[in-house]
Amino acid sequence: MTFGFAPSSAASLSTSTSATSATRLLEPAEWAAAGIPLLRNPREVVSGLHSRHRPRPATAIVAVLDPDERVRASASFTRRQASTDGWMFRNALLAQLRRVIPHDLRLRTPVRTAVLLYCRDGDARWTEEDGAWMWGLRDACTLHGLRCGAYITLTRDGWQVLGEGRGGRRPHADSAPEPFALSEAPPLLPRTGGAASEVLRRAAAR
């Protein structure tokens, strides 16, 4: 007579959920084969976002670039969920994009590009967490009508554009922000209305 334990429905559901989550990530080879547009000057983009948001580990920065690679909108937020799931990351990125910039779903071909910079502990080598962010960025861009752009990690060793092999030592996770003049990335104007905003808009136009 043989004794055994049949897997419970809860255990089966947990295994199924785990397997599904594991598919919601992109390997570096998949990312490289997806035709992600290359940044002309990645260090300028990284330095500009670092100066604006001053990220610490577990901080994600999503930015929307125009065809000239100027930042049109950006938002930063801290990763709070414990699980590494591209679907959750997609929802977080989509919420930020909807907050800071209108969608481009009416355009037949996207003209704006979203990039993601993620500040984390560890070294620059790809992790499953990176793969989940890649999946989330690609899906969020599709749902918001944007081109999917670069995924960049920022660690204490420096920054790295994953899938491209380009990177640098500065800025890094512990470095002080560079002045905007050095990064050549002008600060975004406040989105509030009123006389103060009008003065800022006129000053920026000069």
Side-chain angles (χ1 to χ4, degrees):
M1 193 170 187
T2 304
F3 294 90
F5 296 95
S8 68
S9 59
S12 299
L13 180 59
S14 175
T15 302
S16 175
T17 302
S18 177
T20 302
S21 299
T23 64
R24 291 196 285 253
L25 60 84
L26 294 175
E27 301 277 351
E30 295 176 292
W31 183 257
I36 305 300
L38 302 179
L39 290 170
R40 291 193 296 272
N41 193 336
R43 187 186 184 283
E44 182 178 313
V45 173
V46 172
S47 296
L49 295 178
H50 184 264
S51 297
R52 283 183 176 87
H53 297 279
R54 307 188 179 194
R56 308 307 301 166
T59 301
I61 304 171
V62 61
V64 179
L65 312 180
D66 67 12
D68 295 324
E69 286 194 0
R70 289 174 298 197
V71 176
R72 288 304 178 192
S74 64
S76 63
F77 59 98
T78 302
R79 176 189 168 182
R80 299 191 183 282
Q81 59 268 25
S83 64
T84 298
D85 188 343
W87 183 77
M88 291 183 179
F89 291 170
R90 185 276 309 272
N91 290 345
L93 292 169
L94 195 56
Q96 297 297 326
L97 289 170
R98 286 170 174 165
R99 185 174 65 84
V100 299
I101 199 161
H103 66 73
D104 279 347
L105 293 173
R106 288 185 292 273
L107 297 179
R108 187 169 302 220
T109 303
V111 297
R112 297 185 293 195
T113 303
V115 299
L116 176 62
L117 186 150
Y118 183 55
C119 182
R120 62 168 172 77
D121 292 318
D123 56 34
R125 288 176 294 183
W126 180 89
T127 66
E128 287 193 357
E129 181 184 25
D130 295 324
W133 279 116
M134 290 171 166
W135 190 96
L137 176 63
R138 186 185 64 175
D139 216 43
C141 287
T142 299
L143 294 173
H144 207 62
L146 302 169
R147 296 171 74 203
C148 180
Y151 173 70
I152 306 159
T153 58
L154 187 71
T155 66
R156 289 179 172 84
D157 295 331
W159 58 271
Q160 178 83 14
V161 184
L162 292 195
E164 294 184 21
R166 294 192 290 172
R169 293 184 178 179
R170 294 189 66 86
H172 54 76
D174 294 326
S175 64
E178 293 183 357
F180 282 111
L182 294 181
S183 65
E184 297 181 3
L188 291 177
L189 295 178
R191 298 191 51 163
T192 56
S197 294
E198 183 62 29
V199 171
L200 288 171
R201 280 194 294 270
R202 289 176 181 174
R206 293 194 185 106

